[in-house]
Amino acid sequence: MKGERQQDGFRSSEERPFKFMYKAGDRAVGMEMSQAGSVASAAAEFIAGVEQRDVVEPLNRSYFKRPGEQSAFLVLREGREERPTAREDARSVQAGPCLIRSEEWLLEPELFCLYENWLSSEDELQASRILQRIYYRLQAATEALLESPDGEWAAVTLLHPEELAAQPAKLAALQDAQLEALFTAVAESQRQGGDCRLDLLAAYTASGAEFAAKREFIEVVADQTLGHAYAAACRIGALIAPDVEPSAAAEIARIADFLVLDGAASELAPEGTAAEGFALAAGEIFAAVRSVKPAAVVLAAGTPAASALADLYRIGLSGIFCSAGQRTEALLRAACLIWIARQQETLDTAAGGRQ
């Protein structure tokens, strides 16, 4: 197990002070846009450049950022999107990973039937054979991901179906099959000269000890499938619910390469309430995490994260994952916030020079 790692993080060594006051109207960045008449046009130019490069303050593949580089706020993809199958020019840089929720693979018709049969099977030999078929389907799904544009850099969640929460042995068997399928597909892609990156997210661990055990499990399977070199390079993060105790999140952050706060867990509430509650929880978790690991990489995902983007930016998160339907609006909001912050920095610098 790698243990705690030193990270440079997304931002420069000078952290933004923690300031957070949530107001429901703040989620729409009209307040920020009204501060300068040219913000909207500047944001439009910004987005045009983003769509050409697929970059908003690119992050290098180790989740590190060199000292002195400008702070970043990333708007990253969540879920597979219909895009040209051919990858973009090799000179372009993907801003960060695409978040893939592996439970969605279980909803595909063939896999869904196999999974249901595996859950209900009481014959050990039959269950083993069905699990083997699930393994092959998961491998095929991973291969399709790695061959797509999103496979350039993807962060895949470890399967964690709710119905297996009370069956740890069965959950471990399913996760073992998934990990072997993932790493076998990566090995085959690399053998064929593919340039892909696949990172893992352990889902909903409630303590540092639980995440440490899950991380070790992932690393053992990676080492057995791909060898120590890849196991050492694979980044392992934690997908955590917004209701996790901040102290537990801090302990998880000590040994995780990155954290993703999952707003999907609060999406059953009305949109405004979900976004407000998510932003408040994110502020508490982020403060606890940064108190023990100042360079921690913390992202957010889910519909509430996109709705609360302005607040998450002010808190200091590194960025959000959002679906295709939310991406354009999220890019516009992020562009406005970044543009205003840079204009303010310019004004502050000029004012300081005149003193």
Side-chain angles (χ1 to χ4, degrees), residues 31-95:
M31 181 179 69
E32 288 86 355
M33 292 180 67
S34 66
Q35 295 181 22
S38 58
V39 170
S41 60
E45 294 176 5
F46 182 90
I47 289 177
V50 167
E51 294 301 326
Q52 291 175 1
R53 306 187 311 274
D54 194 28
V55 172
V56 184
E57 302 276 6
L59 165 72
N60 85 35
R61 288 190 172 194
S62 61
Y63 296 93
F64 298 162
K65 200 168 181 67
R66 296 184 182 87
E69 289 184 336
Q70 292 183 333
S71 62
F73 189 87
L74 304 175
V75 177
L76 303 173
R77 302 176 190 274
E78 178 176 336
R80 294 282 303 278
E81 296 181 19
E82 292 298 326
R83 292 194 283 161
T85 53
R87 291 191 180 176
E88 299 176 10
D89 190 297
R91 293 172 295 179
S92 67
V93 180
Q94 187 165 317

Side-chain angles (χ1 to χ4, degrees), residues 16-22 240-247 249-250 259 261-262 274-292 298-300 304-305 308-318:
R16 286 207 302 267
F18 177 73
K19 297 180 179 178
F20 174 68
M21 182 178 294
Y22 189 90
I240 60 176
D243 61 354
V244 70
E245 287 294 328
S247 57
L259 293 183
L261 307 182
D262 190 13
E276 180 177 359
F278 181 73
L280 288 168
E284 295 175 359
I285 291 171
F286 185 77
V289 167
R290 282 295 177 91
S291 70
V292 300
V298 184
L299 299 146
L309 184 149
D311 297 289
L312 300 179
Y313 176 85
R314 294 190 190 99
I315 291 169
L317 263 67
S318 305

